[in-house]
Each structure stands twice: as C-alpha cells, then as structure tokens.
Amino acid sequence: MNYRHAYHAGNFADVLKHTVLFALIEALQAKSTPFAFVDTHAGSGCYALDSTEAGKTGEYKGGIARLLFPDLHASAGRSEPLPPLLRRWLDAILRVPGNEHGLKLYPGSPLQVASAMREADSAQLCELHPEEAARLRELFRHDHRVHVHGRNGYEALKALLPPKEKRGLVLIDPPYEAQDAEYRVIEQALKLALQRWPTGVYAVWYPIKLRSQVQPFHRWLQRCGARRVLRAELLVHPDDSPLRLNGSGMVILNAPWKLDDVLRDSLRAMAPLLSQERRAEWRLDWLVEEAQA
C-alpha cells in the first residue's frame, strides 16, 4: 500500500511494459468482436510529469523521453526511424488530452487501453489504494465502458472471469511490495484464472534485480498449462544486484500468434535508446511454444 507509481511513471520499465501492452491490444483489435481488459493493479490511470513525485526521481527522462527526444541521449547513436509499433505507441501517448503541446502527462495502463478501446469493448480496473481508486473513478467518470473496483485484484479475478466478451486480456502488474512472495501469489492467481478462463491472454510484468529471484517463476510458467508463454525482457544493468531495478520483463500466457515477430524490432530499437552506464540488453523468447502440426 506504500507504493505510488507517480514516482516511476514513464521510466524504462514502463516503456517495455506499455509497448508490449500496446501490441497486445492491437492484436485483440484485429478481430471485430469485442474484447475485455482486466487490470489487477490499475493505479490512478494518469501521471503528471511535472508533479512533485515525478520531479523527485526524474525517471521518465531515462524512459519515455529517450524515445521521444533521442537527440538528448548522445550515446544512442540512432539514425534510422523507429519501428512502426513504437511509433504508433508514441503517437498514442502524445494524443492523450493534455499532451497537445508536448509530453506533460504519462498515461498508465488503464488510460492507454481505454484510449484504444472500441465502443463494445470493456475494461475492469482493480485498485486497492483508496486515493488511487478515487482518482481512477474521476478519470473515467464519463466512460460507460470502464468499471473501477476498489478491491484486491487477485481476488476480483474470481468474479470477473470469464468475461462476457469471451476473449480479452488480463494485466497483472503489482508493485512487488511482498518481493519474492509476490510470485507465489501470482502463480496461485494464474492457476485459478486459467481454470476459469483457459483461453484468456494473461500478461504479467515483473522487476529484475537478481536473476535467481525470477527463475522459479519462469520454471512454474513452463508447466502452468498455458498453450504458449512468451518472455520479453529489457536490462539496463547486470541482473546481479538486489539494491536497484536492473531491468524488467513481461511474460504473456496464451500469447497471440506471431507476437514475437511484432515485438522484436521494437525491443531491438529501444535497447540503445534506454541504455545507461552500459548498453542495454534485451531478450525475447518462448518459455512454452505450442507444438506445430
């Protein structure tokens, strides 16, 4: 309950997470039938980059700002245009009301998805922190497609799945205040969710400090029963220190077909732009790959 994403909005981890999320939403939009979006840890939905919180860390300057203003990052060495997926995502960020004259606001996952949703699509947003949930309700007070739940997102999955649309995406993006124990909670939530809605797409964000902290979760995913599990990671520091966020990852259960092909160029392009003391490293591979007939 102490974590506030306002301090970290738009950082390098958000760039990875929201690029993957944007690709997933585009994949869902490829079909005309409606989809449902469920966010278990929604936050407040939108963050002012000139706020006291964002100003204290300035993390967005090493994240979203690097992609929008690459010339300010002398070591990037990029001369080619950004891949189409990244360009479309950045354009969507700049279309958020309030960003008409430049990057002033960073939209969280709920607002990014809602901005892309069609009339028949729906979003169920869970947020336990009372102040964050209140801001979320205010943000979407006129949007009938969006429903805010002030409750534990893991527990809410029991009531929200399967959605009436029968297809869609669950985003699990907790603050990991419980650290290693959070993975066990996620595993239990995914186990029950897959039983209730085996065809749903599930995307889980995770921090990378020590590689050994993440490996048991990846081993569990390999036997979780999902048809496909794709892993995407970006590391700006070596994964050998528990004292800082060295990188982050996303795993996508029941990943849409050829999502890896969609993401590969974007990960390759963002790595040099998001590099810090050393060149950033990226990984994109299948933890579970569906057998071909």
Side-chain angles (χ1 to χ4, degrees), residues 30 34-36 43 57 70 80 94-95 158 196 198 219 241 244 246 249 269 275:
F35 68 83
T57 63
E80 297 181 357
L94 294 176
R95 283 197 300 269
K158 301 174 185 177
R196 297 182 64 84
R219 287 194 291 268
S241 171
R244 63 184 178 187
N246 297 312
S275 296

Side-chain angles (χ1 to χ4, degrees), residues 32-90:
S32 60
T33 52
F35 68 83
F37 173 66
V38 180
D39 194 334
T40 62
H41 297 77
S44 62
C46 193
Y47 307 92
L49 296 178
D50 61 356
S51 68
T52 300
E53 295 89 346
K56 283 185 177 179
T57 63
E59 289 188 17
Y60 74 93
K61 296 176 184 177
I64 181 71
R66 293 271 189 92
L67 273 65
L68 285 170
F69 315 112
D71 293 343
L72 299 180
H73 181 37
S75 64
R78 180 175 66 84
S79 58
E80 297 181 357
L82 289 173
L85 174 68
L86 271 182
R87 187 70 263 167
R88 291 194 301 273
W89 174 64
L90 291 171

Side-chain angles (χ1 to χ4, degrees), residues 132-152:
E132 302 279 87
R135 292 192 183 99
L136 204 57
R137 289 192 177 94
E138 177 64 18
L139 181 64
F140 293 110
R141 67 188 186 280
H142 298 308
D143 195 333
H144 68 91
R145 306 167 304 167
V146 179
H147 309 273
V148 177
H149 307 270
R151 60 184 298 192
N152 182 299

